[in-house]
Amino acid sequence: MLHPSYSDLMAVVNSEVEPGEQPVVQSRYSIVMATSKRARQIIGNMSAINAKSKKDPKNSLTEKEEAFEKYCEKRKPLSIAVEELYQGKVKIVGDEE
């Protein structure tokens, strides 16, 4: 089971909403969809980095890419996505934004 819970994630994501405004995330479905979308982005980034390193082994990865690769080695993309949302590293924007 992933920690924090979905209700904790919803509270963090909606913490910057002004009083009287509609929350960005209103249901479990919304938080699950946002988290899964971010996990797919992480998978895509890792695939691009792997393709780049296989294409030209002599061309080393940038420091940022190497750090991202090491960060993702021991963790699953969904766990990374949940942690990023909980820490506020990633913001969820509404459809109109």
Side-chain angles (χ1 to χ4, degrees):
M1 183 171 180
L2 291 175
H3 294 283
S5 68
Y6 74 89
S7 56
D8 292 340
L9 278 175
M10 287 175 61
V12 169
V13 169
N14 292 327
S15 65
E16 294 182 10
V17 175
E18 298 289 328
E21 288 185 10
Q22 190 172 9
V24 176
V25 176
Q26 300 176 20
S27 66
R28 286 188 231 184
Y29 178 78
S30 299
I31 199 74
V32 167
M33 292 303 296
T35 306
S36 65
K37 184 174 183 175
R38 178 61 185 143
R40 286 191 299 272
Q41 289 173 344
I42 291 167
I43 292 168
N45 291 343
M46 282 305 303
S47 296
I49 289 172
N50 289 338
K52 180 180 175 183
S53 65
K54 286 180 183 178
K55 181 180 177 182
D56 188 11
K58 294 177 186 175
N59 184 12
S60 62
L61 300 174
T62 64
E63 288 181 26
K64 188 175 182 178
E65 290 171 334
E66 286 179 7
F68 182 72
E69 189 175 35
K70 287 180 183 177
Y71 181 70
C72 294
E73 275 179 359
K74 300 175 185 170
R75 309 176 76 212
K76 294 184 179 181
L78 185 60
S79 297
I80 295 169
V82 169
E83 182 179 303
E84 287 179 347
L85 280 171
Y86 190 66
Q87 292 176 351
K89 292 180 180 178
V90 177
K91 301 288 182 199
I92 299 173
V93 294
D95 292 335
E96 65 278 351
E97 296 177 29

